[in-house]
């Protein structure tokens, strides 16, 4: 009996000791218990949809994009800033929605109509958004010189960039930083300017044919004039921006009469305005502009005709002018109800010198990266794909510079045809006046070309004035 009692007592003693040992941490150190409870979540292997980076096969654009689609950056935010507002902002948000849903990354775009002024303040103040959308590469170039932008050659697979962009786009995205050239940005949207509109039904009925060369274009001009009509619709009035339409003509012809290297030097101020190259380009333009038989209203009407009104006489019956060179955006100024392919059509502005192929002048949006985090890398890698603008293309208002984009995405025949011209171009260059310092590109270049057209200043004097205005 005593033996049983001692055995029972021993069991109770051991049990009490165990209970005391187990209960001490809970009552003496409650703070230490929280990490112990959270440890499994932190150390558990990721779910099947969130494998470790090492187990995710990289995509051609980069490892981070593959990780993003695997759900590894779910819940993160990537900030963007740019000029998109109103309808454009909605189209942008809609175009990235599928990516956001697939990855869980929230791309927050802040658009501003005062973007150019605001972004410089933010970048210089150390408040850079993760990605910035620049409609003017010159502004990005300023940031690159200050060493503010991330070199995308270290972010996006260089082989992919070479595969998905023509060399011209890559050249325009390469800028000089404090330690040498970097891939400063990738192009997300484009628009083309090297096109000539005409009233299709009347054009076809008159027996005119689309010119393939500049000589053909001049022969067509002479034929229309010989038929008693006025060939060209031209106007450059645009309020404080009067003259920009003339600069577009010069840029287009420069690409057709000299090398890309000279064009780039001209943009940088290394090739003077009063140079043989620029004067040669002007001679092709003035052969049309300064012949009163070739322009509606003659030379004198060009500086006072609003650029948006210039093409309207094409739609009179009969047409009062037949040809209008302008960017694809000009269709928004056409009379209401006019249908592409029926009421109007357009052709590529023909080449001049075969040595320079078939270049295209245009503009677009270049995206640059300013904060280097995995989710930001994933987003900028995504923007290097045509898929990133597919929704916007289908909604209208965007043209893709990406080689992996599909012409079937374009619902509007005008935009589709311009996209085809851009993708098939031998070379592409950005609007020069947008690249030049503001005092020149949006200042003296516009002003003195307007004065030259109006006849208030001679050619040499106008070109010398522009050269003298270049920032020292």
């Amino acid at each position: 009996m005593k033996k049983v009692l001692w055995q029972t007592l021993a069991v109770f003693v051991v049990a009490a000791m165990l209970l005391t040992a187990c209960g001490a941490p809970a009552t003496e150190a409650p703070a230490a218990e929280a990490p112990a409870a959270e440890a499994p979540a932190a150390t558990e292997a990721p779910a099947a949809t969130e494998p470790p980076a090492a187990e995710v096969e990289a995509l051609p654009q980069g490892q981070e994009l593959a990780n993003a689609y695997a759900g590894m950056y779910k819940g993160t935010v990537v900030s963007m800033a740019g000029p998109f507002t109103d309808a454009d902002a909605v189209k942008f948000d809609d175009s990235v929605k599928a990516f956001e849903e697939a990855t869980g990354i929230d791309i927050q775009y802040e658009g501003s109509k005062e973007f150019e002024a605001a972004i410089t303040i933010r970048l210089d103040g150390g408040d850079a958004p993760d990605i910035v959308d620049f409609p003017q590469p010159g502004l990005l170039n300023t940031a690159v010189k200050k060493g503010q932008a991330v070199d995308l050659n270290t972010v996006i697979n260089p082989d992919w960039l070479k595969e998905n962009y023509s060399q011209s786009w890559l050249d325009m995205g390469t800028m000089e930083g404090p330690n040498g050239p970097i891939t400063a940005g990738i192009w997300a949207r484009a628009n083309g300017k090297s096109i000539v509109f005409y009233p299709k039904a009347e054009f076809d009925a008159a027996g005119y044919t689309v010119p393939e060369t500049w000589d053909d274009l001049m022969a067509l001009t002479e034929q229309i004039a010989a038929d008693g009509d006025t060939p060209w619709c031209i106007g450059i009035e645009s309020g404080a921006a009067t003259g920009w339409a003339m600069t577009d003509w010069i840029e287009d012809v420069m690409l057709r009469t000299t090398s890309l290297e000279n064009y780039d030097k001209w943009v940088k101020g290394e090739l003077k305005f009063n140079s043989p190259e620029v004067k040669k380009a002007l001679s092709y333009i003035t052969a049309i502009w300064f012949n009163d038989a070739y322009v509606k209203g003659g030379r004198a009407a060009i500086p006072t005709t609003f650029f948006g009104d210039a093409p309207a006489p094409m739609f009179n019956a009969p047409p009062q002018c037949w040809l209008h060179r302008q960017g694809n955006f000009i269709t928004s100024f056409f009379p209401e109800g006019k249908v592409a392919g029926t009421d109007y059509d357009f052709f590529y502005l023909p080449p001049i010198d075969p040595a320079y192929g078939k270049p295209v002048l245009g503009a677009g949006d270049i995206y640059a990266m300013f904060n280097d985090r995995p989710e930001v890398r994933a987003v900028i890698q995504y923007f290097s794909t045509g898929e990133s603008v597919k929704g916007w293309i289908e909604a209208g208002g965007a043209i893709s510079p990406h080689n992996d984009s599909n012409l079937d995405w374009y619902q509007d025949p005008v935009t589709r045809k311009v996209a085809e011209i851009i993708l098939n171009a031998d070379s592409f260059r950005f609007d020069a006046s947008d690249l030049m310092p503001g005092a020149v590109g949006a200042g003296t270049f516009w002003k003195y070309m307007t004065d030259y057209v109006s006849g208030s200043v001679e050619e040499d004097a106008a070109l010398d004035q522009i050269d003298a205005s270049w920032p020292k």
Side-chain angles (χ1 to χ4, degrees):
M1 186 66 177
K2 288 181 180 180
K3 183 176 180 181
V4 171
L5 287 173
W6 279 110
Q7 288 176 337
T8 302
L9 181 60
V11 169
F12 278 109
V13 169
V14 171
M17 291 173 66
L18 289 172
L19 286 171
T20 302
C22 293
T27 55
E28 293 177 13
E33 186 178 0
E38 293 177 2
T43 57
E44 282 178 359
T49 56
E50 300 181 3
E55 296 181 10
V56 179
E57 184 177 352
L59 290 171
Q61 300 77 22
Q63 181 66 58
E64 290 79 11
L65 185 58
N67 293 350
Y69 280 120
M72 295 182 65
Y73 311 135
K74 185 177 181 180
T76 59
V77 173
V78 172
S79 62
M80 287 188 67
F84 299 149
T85 60
D86 305 325
D88 278 344
V90 173
K91 287 182 178 180
F92 174 84
D93 287 338
D94 289 345
S95 70
V96 299
K97 192 171 295 183
F99 175 79
E100 291 178 312
E101 291 174 352
T103 63
I105 298 173
D106 182 12
I107 302 174
Q108 297 183 356
Y109 190 101
E110 181 183 349
S112 171
K113 293 179 180 179
E114 289 77 42
F115 163 76
E116 286 80 4
I119 194 60
T120 299
I121 295 172
R122 290 192 63 180
L123 294 179
D124 290 346
D127 182 32
D130 296 324
I131 296 173
V132 179
D133 164 16
F134 291 92
Q136 292 182 325
L139 197 57
L140 171 57
N141 192 40
T142 300
V144 171
K145 288 179 180 177
K146 297 176 183 178
Q148 296 171 333
V150 175
D151 184 358
L152 295 187
N153 209 44
T154 65
V155 175
I156 306 173
N157 185 342
D159 291 337
W160 168 252
L161 292 177
K162 291 176 182 176
E163 175 185 336
N164 212 37
Y165 289 95
S166 72
Q167 189 59 45
S168 290
W169 290 107
L170 298 180
D171 290 344
M172 292 188 297
T174 302
M175 300 178 185
E176 195 72 25
N179 301 313
I182 68 169
T183 299
I186 50 102
W187 296 91
R189 292 199 314 163
N191 60 65
K193 298 187 176 187
S194 302
I195 51 181
V196 180
F197 289 89
Y198 62 93
K200 180 173 174 53
E202 291 81 357
F203 190 91
D204 292 344
Y208 299 141
T209 58
V210 170
E212 297 293 330
T213 68
W214 195 270
D215 287 342
D216 292 342
L217 180 65
M218 293 307 296
L220 174 61
T221 298
E222 292 163 6
Q223 184 180 357
I224 294 172
D227 289 342
D229 289 335
T230 304
W232 288 92
C233 322
I234 303 174
I236 64 172
E237 195 279 319
S238 185
T242 294
W244 67 261
M246 170 58 158
T247 67
D248 278 4
W249 270 76
I250 298 172
E251 293 154 3
D252 241 335
V253 177
M254 281 285 287
L255 290 173
R256 286 158 174 74
T257 57
T258 192
S259 66
L260 294 177
E261 290 75 17
N262 278 339
Y263 185 91
D264 295 340
K265 288 179 180 178
W266 179 50
V267 166
K268 297 174 183 176
E270 297 170 5
L271 179 71
K272 300 296 185 182
F273 273 80
N274 202 349
S275 67
E277 290 82 3
V278 177
K279 295 179 80 168
K280 180 180 180 180
L282 275 173
S283 70
Y284 282 91
I285 298 167
T286 56
I288 296 173
W289 287 43
F290 293 0
N291 186 328
D292 286 351
Y294 289 171
V295 180
K296 178 170 171 50
R299 174 181 177 179
I302 295 175
T304 58
T305 300
F306 176 57
F307 79 91
D309 293 338
M314 285 197 306
F315 300 102
N316 291 347
Q320 293 183 350
C321 54
W322 292 74
L323 305 170
H324 182 67
R325 182 229 155 270
Q326 190 52 273
N328 55 282
F329 73 89
I330 197 63
T331 57
S332 62
F333 290 89
F334 286 179
E336 188 176 352
K338 297 303 177 182
V339 178
T342 302
D343 298 306
Y344 66 89
D345 206 342
F346 62 89
F347 56 84
Y348 167 73
L349 182 68
I352 295 175
D353 187 333
Y356 306 119
K358 292 185 175 181
V360 169
L361 175 73
D365 293 89
I366 184 170
Y367 291 177
M369 177 173 153
F370 289 86
N371 295 310
D372 194 351
R373 303 191 309 279
E375 63 271 23
V376 183
R377 285 179 167 239
V379 172
I380 201 75
Q381 289 167 6
Y382 173 65
F383 284 138
S384 73
T385 69
E387 187 69 25
S388 66
V389 287
K390 179 182 178 182
W392 199 331
I393 290 171
E394 292 174 336
I399 294 176
S400 169
H402 312 89
N403 291 336
D404 67 339
S405 59
N406 192 322
L407 290 174
D408 291 339
W409 297 345
Y410 297 89
Q411 308 301 310
D412 169 41
V414 172
T415 311
R416 177 188 172 116
K417 192 172 176 180
V418 174
E420 191 170 7
I421 288 173
I422 291 174
L423 289 175
N424 292 333
D426 291 326
S427 61
F428 186 99
R429 278 299 183 268
F430 205 91
D431 182 303
S433 63
D434 283 346
L435 297 176
M436 293 173 179
V440 179
T444 55
F445 193 6
W446 293 352
K447 170 180 167 45
Y448 286 105
M449 285 300 97
T450 301
D451 290 348
Y452 175 44
V453 174
S454 70
S456 63
V457 66
E458 295 297 321
E459 180 179 287
D460 283 338
L463 297 175
D464 287 339
Q465 289 284 359
I466 301 172
D467 283 332
S469 71
W470 203 277
K472 301 297 187 285

